[in-house]
């Protein structure tokens, strides 16, 4: 065990110790967990206030300072369990759920040991063990749902080390800020976030799911011929002769409720999960609350670079909800009926892509348009039959590797992320061509009939232009050879003509290059104040509503 590079990379971020090839809790932590596992008559943990005392004691036994946690966390735990939830529910939590979570934590060392013993056999030749997947380090991690439950129980008890996470650009993973925010600025929406987490724990403690979830860092490879850039350039997009895919507009409904088994877009922060474990309560945070297994990725996936995306397959949904942001409310239990693939993953594909934050007029600049379309392309590229081979010298599947001399990614025959790609030749005299190639390997769940389900990515508080963002995602999905894009407008007024515009474009048989070039022309006019129209009205002056674009400033 001590010689495993994957274990050694993640061990500093776990509260466990290792000795003689075995992982273990310190004896005093074992004593505390055993007492809690037998219920409040043994542990005396029967309130939120006493629960926090037990958490603090365990952290001290792990030589972890409670001072590094939020100072309002004790009041947050006490507020929830001692005041906000019904006394009957609170008693059930301390009689049943907390003991079950303690038992799960006692199993964490053995669950991790079992995970590493089996990690090398999940996909032949592919490293799938839990490890720190740093920026520009493509790879995939497979975790059993039971292990995820134990890791999230560890987060509930705030037992993860804190001091070393910032240096690696890792998100907060303990739940102290989640509970502290409840006390510092109470809102019903925030209480509902915690109730989603509580519902998850109640479910897994009563019946532990037996499936698997995969977490993949995807990297758009560098041009191999003469450049150190890490994505296609504007000329690549201008010359693309790929046909635009079908475009379905939904004026109502939600991405997570789509019925097409499409790739579902997480409007992500570059730090996976965004404000999920703090005050955030918009699209990404809501998704992490109703599918709490997504939170596990925050443990080992640092921030995303501009040429990266994170794809998570198999995360189960546990909660229903209503509303959005301040109106978000927990609405009860949800039974996920998605079927499982050959890896025992739920057939739910979620891809996290982060948009430029508050770009204002900058989003009309070529460099910003290029950044956004390449980010979306990285997320949408189809994973066919293999993940990156981590074994150096393996010639069966040659994927992008780090060159020790130059530090550049070389992709002449392959790609550096999970999608097996034939990186299109981007020489000036050649048009963009096939971006997808089959590679021999293990069976995977992505097929040609898997589209993209998305919506107003990078708009709202991020300041993006809804019309341009819709077109950018359409271009990326088409270039990635996705068969369709299902677009949920969430009632945005700026997109009331989206269906009409996309049908007009499709009727004229435009290619990816045609639409991209038209966007460049429009954006230049906006940037230099030659037009104030939105892209749709600029493109089709005969539209029923010919309004000026809403100023992004």
């Amino acid at each position: 065990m001590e010689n495993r590079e994957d274990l050694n990379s993640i061990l500093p971020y776990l509260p466990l110790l290792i000795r003689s090839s075995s992982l273990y809790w310190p004896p005093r932590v074992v004593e505390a967990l055993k007492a809690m596992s037998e219920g409040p008559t043994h542990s005396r943990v029967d309130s939120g206030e006493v629960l926090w005392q037990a958490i603090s004691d365990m952290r001290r036994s792990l030589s972890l300072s409670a001072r590094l946690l939020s100072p309002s966390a004790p009041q947050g735990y006490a507020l929830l369990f001692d005041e906000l939830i019904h006394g009957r529910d609170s008693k059930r939590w301390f009689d049943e759920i907390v003991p079950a979570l303690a038992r799960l934590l006692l199993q964490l060392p053995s669950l991790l040991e079992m995970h590493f013993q089996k990690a090398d056999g999940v996909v032949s030749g592919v490293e799938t063990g839990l490890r720190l997947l740093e920026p520009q380090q493509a790879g995939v991690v497979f975790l059993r749902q039971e292990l995820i439950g134990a890791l999230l129980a560890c987060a509930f008890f705030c037992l993860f080390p804190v001091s070393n996470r910032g240096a690696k650009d890792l998100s907060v993973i303990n739940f102290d800020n989640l509970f502290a925010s409840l006390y510092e600025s109470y809102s019903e929406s925030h209480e509902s976030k915690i109730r989603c987490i509580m519902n998850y724990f109640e479910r897994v403690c009563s019946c532990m799911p037996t499936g698997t979830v995969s977490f993949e860092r995807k990297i758009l490879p560098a041009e191999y011929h003469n450049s150190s850039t890490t994505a296609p350039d504007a000329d690549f997009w201008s010359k693309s002769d790929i046909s635009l895919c079908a475009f379905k507009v939904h004026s109502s409904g939600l991405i997570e409720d789509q019925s097409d088994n499409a790739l579902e877009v997480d409007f992500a922060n570059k730090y996976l999960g965004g404000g999920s474990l703090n005050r955030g309560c918009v699209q990404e945070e809501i998704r992490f609350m109703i599918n709490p297994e997504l939170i596990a990725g925050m443990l080992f996936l640092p921030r995303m670079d501009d040429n990266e995306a994170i794809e998570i397959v198999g995360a189960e949904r546990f909660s229903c909800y209503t509303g959005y942001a301040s109106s978000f409310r927990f609405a009860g239990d949800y039974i996920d009926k998605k079927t499982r693939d050959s890896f025992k993953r739920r057939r739910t594909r979620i891809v996290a892509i982060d948009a430029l934050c508050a770009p204002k007029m900058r989003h009309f600049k070529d460099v910003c348009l290029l950044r956004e379309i390449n980010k979306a392309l990285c997320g949408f590229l189809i994973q066919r039959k293999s993940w990156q081979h981590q074994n150096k010298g393996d010639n069966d599947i040659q994927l992008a590797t780090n060159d020790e001399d130059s530090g550049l990614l070389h992709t002449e025959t392959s790609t550096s992320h999970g999608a097996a790609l034939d990186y299109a030749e981007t020489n000036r005299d050649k048009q963009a061509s096939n971006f997808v190639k089959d590679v021999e390997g293990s069976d995977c769940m992505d097929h040609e009939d898997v589209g993209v389900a998305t919506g107003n990515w990078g708009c709202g508080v991020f300041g993006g232009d809804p019309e341009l963002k819709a077109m950018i995602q359409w271009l990326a999905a088409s270039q990635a050879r996705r068969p369709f894009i299902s677009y949920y407008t969430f009632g945005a007024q700026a997109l009331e003509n989206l269906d009409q515009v996309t049908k007009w474009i499709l009727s004229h048989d435009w290619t990816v290059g045609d639409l991209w070039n038209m966007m460049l022309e429009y954006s230049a006019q906006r940037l230099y104040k030659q037009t104030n129209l939105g892209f749709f009205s600029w493109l089709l002056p005969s539209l029923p509503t010919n309004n000026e674009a809403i100023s992004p400033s």
Side-chain angles (χ1 to χ4, degrees):
M1 289 281 287
E2 294 102 323
N3 296 326
R4 293 192 65 104
E5 291 184 9
D6 48 7
L7 173 59
N8 289 332
S9 76
I10 196 65
L11 195 57
Y13 307 95
L14 298 174
L16 302 177
L17 305 175
I18 188 167
R19 180 178 57 207
S20 302
S21 297
S22 295
L23 295 168
Y24 67 98
W25 289 107
R28 290 183 61 185
V29 175
V30 172
E31 291 175 10
L33 290 174
K34 282 185 175 179
M36 270 192 283
S37 72
E38 296 176 6
T41 55
H42 289 80
S43 66
R44 302 192 178 181
V45 177
D46 58 0
S47 69
E49 181 179 359
V50 179
L51 173 61
W52 183 259
Q53 292 173 1
I55 289 171
S56 298
D57 289 342
M58 285 191 291
R59 282 188 64 86
R60 279 193 292 271
S61 298
L62 290 163
S63 300
L64 302 174
S65 173
R67 293 194 301 273
L68 295 177
L69 301 180
S70 173
S72 298
Q75 292 90 335
Y77 278 80
L79 176 62
L80 179 78
F81 289 108
D82 304 343
E83 297 183 36
L84 294 179
I85 67 175
H86 193 279
R88 179 181 63 252
D89 295 330
S90 179
K91 186 177 187 303
R92 175 172 173 255
W93 251 78
F94 291 109
D95 286 349
E96 300 176 20
I97 309 304
V98 169
L101 293 179
R103 288 192 291 271
L104 189 56
L105 276 181
L106 285 169
Q107 297 177 49
L108 179 58
S110 60
L111 289 172
L112 277 168
E113 288 179 7
M114 185 187 309
H115 163 78
F116 286 110
Q117 289 167 5
K118 296 183 176 181
D120 297 334
V122 176
V123 184
S124 179
V126 178
E127 185 178 356
T128 64
L130 176 61
R131 63 198 184 281
L132 196 65
L133 278 180
E134 300 192 54
Q136 304 306 315
Q137 181 184 345
V140 65
V141 169
F142 277 77
L143 299 177
R144 290 177 56 206
Q145 288 181 279
E146 184 177 16
L147 175 54
I148 291 175
L151 292 172
L152 295 190
C154 197
F156 174 78
F157 286 105
C158 300
L159 297 181
F160 287 111
V162 175
S163 59
N164 56 356
R165 294 184 63 81
K168 286 290 187 179
D169 289 324
L170 285 162
S171 302
V172 168
I173 185 66
N174 289 321
F175 287 2
D176 55 309
N177 286 303
L178 184 67
F179 281 88
S181 297
L182 183 70
Y183 172 78
E184 292 170 355
S185 54
Y186 172 82
S187 67
E188 286 188 63
S189 60
H190 197 82
E191 181 182 342
S192 287
K193 286 178 62 178
I194 297 179
R195 286 186 177 272
C196 287
I197 298 290
M198 293 175 67
N199 183 61
Y200 163 76
F201 282 132
E202 290 169 10
R203 284 275 302 278
V204 299
C205 288
S206 64
C207 183
M208 181 62 69
T210 57
T212 303
V213 183
S214 65
F215 301 79
E216 180 189 6
R217 182 180 289 274
K218 303 166 68 173
I219 300 175
L220 200 61
E223 296 177 323
Y224 63 83
H225 61 293
N226 62 358
S227 173
S228 61
T229 60
T230 55
D233 59 15
D235 190 61
F236 171 91
W237 289 101
S238 292
K239 292 182 177 180
S240 174
D241 59 2
I242 301 295
S243 298
L244 292 167
C245 66
F247 199 107
K248 307 175 184 180
V249 178
H250 304 270
S251 57
S252 61
L254 299 168
I255 293 171
E256 60 268 23
D257 294 331
Q258 56 89 24
S259 58
D260 293 320
N261 284 332
L263 179 70
E264 300 170 5
V265 177
D266 165 18
F267 306 164
N269 189 287
K270 66 179 179 179
Y271 290 88
L272 183 68
S276 298
L277 300 183
N278 211 306
R279 292 184 174 87
C281 197
V282 288
Q283 196 257 11
E284 178 173 40
E285 289 87 0
I286 290 172
R287 195 65 199 264
F288 274 57
M289 294 301 101
I290 64 174
N291 295 67
E293 290 165 334
L294 297 171
I295 297 170
M298 298 167 68
L299 172 63
F300 58 91
L301 288 161
R303 58 152 179 81
M304 288 179 275
D305 284 342
D306 285 348
N307 66 326
E308 296 183 323
I310 291 171
E311 185 168 336
I312 301 172
V313 182
E316 187 168 343
R317 181 174 171 182
F318 289 87
S319 295
C320 297
Y321 76 96
T322 60
Y324 188 80
S326 62
S327 65
F328 173 77
R329 298 292 183 272
F330 169 68
D333 202 27
Y334 180 92
I335 304 301
D336 196 330
K337 297 181 179 179
K338 287 282 185 73
T339 58
R340 297 184 187 271
D341 68 3
S342 59
F343 293 105
K344 300 183 71 176
R345 302 176 299 183
R346 294 276 181 189
R347 293 183 182 271
T348 298
R349 313 162 179 84
I350 298 171
V351 64
I353 52 175
D354 56 300
L356 288 172
C357 184
K360 298 186 178 179
M361 289 301 291
R362 287 194 301 118
H363 63 188
F364 295 113
K365 292 184 176 181
D366 291 1
V367 65
C368 293
L369 294 171
L370 189 61
R371 186 270 184 198
E372 298 294 77
I373 197 169
N374 286 335
K375 170 66 72 167
L377 177 65
C378 183
F380 298 167
L381 281 167
I382 295 175
Q383 176 178 308
R384 292 291 185 92
K385 292 187 176 182
S386 73
W387 285 280
Q388 179 183 9
H389 276 235
Q390 303 292 331
N391 301 331
K392 292 184 179 180
D394 187 342
N395 294 319
D396 293 335
I397 303 177
Q398 184 183 352
L399 295 164
T401 57
N402 289 314
D403 186 286
E404 293 180 355
D405 296 325
S406 67
L408 303 182
L409 291 172
H410 292 264
T411 58
E412 184 165 359
T413 59
S414 55
T415 165
S416 65
H417 69 299
L421 305 177
D422 181 8
Y423 195 90
E425 293 184 14
T426 53
N427 295 327
R428 300 298 179 184
D429 59 340
K430 295 186 179 180
Q431 298 235 337
S433 59
N434 186 13
F435 229 85
V436 182
K437 177 184 177 183
D438 282 333
V439 177
E440 294 299 324
S442 61
D443 179 38
C444 184
M445 62 186 292
D446 262 345
H447 304 285
E448 287 191 3
D449 61 347
V450 174
V452 174
T454 189
N456 306 328
W457 170 62
C459 303
V461 296
F462 271 42
D465 182 288
E467 298 176 33
L468 285 185
K469 278 296 196 298
M471 297 297 99
I472 284 171
Q473 293 182 87
W474 190 14
L475 290 169
S478 301
Q479 187 67 47
R481 300 303 184 97
R482 296 285 179 175
F484 65 86
I485 186 167
S486 286
Y487 196 98
Y488 293 81
T489 66
F490 306 108
Q493 184 178 358
L495 297 177
E496 60 184 1
N497 293 316
L498 179 59
D499 188 51
Q500 184 176 348
V501 169
T502 54
K503 285 178 177 176
W504 183 90
I505 291 173
L506 287 170
S507 71
H508 286 75
D509 297 322
W510 281 14
T511 65
V512 166
D514 293 333
L515 180 54
W516 170 257
N517 290 329
M518 199 62 70
M519 280 179 48
L520 288 184
E521 182 179 343
Y522 165 75
S523 296
Q525 291 189 22
R526 280 299 306 274
L527 195 60
Y528 295 106
K529 304 187 185 304
Q530 295 171 354
T531 182
N532 286 320
L533 296 175
F535 178 64
F536 296 167
S537 297
W538 176 86
L539 183 66
L540 296 175
S542 60
L543 284 173
T545 56
N546 191 10
N547 298 326
E548 290 189 353
I550 299 174
S551 173
S553 58

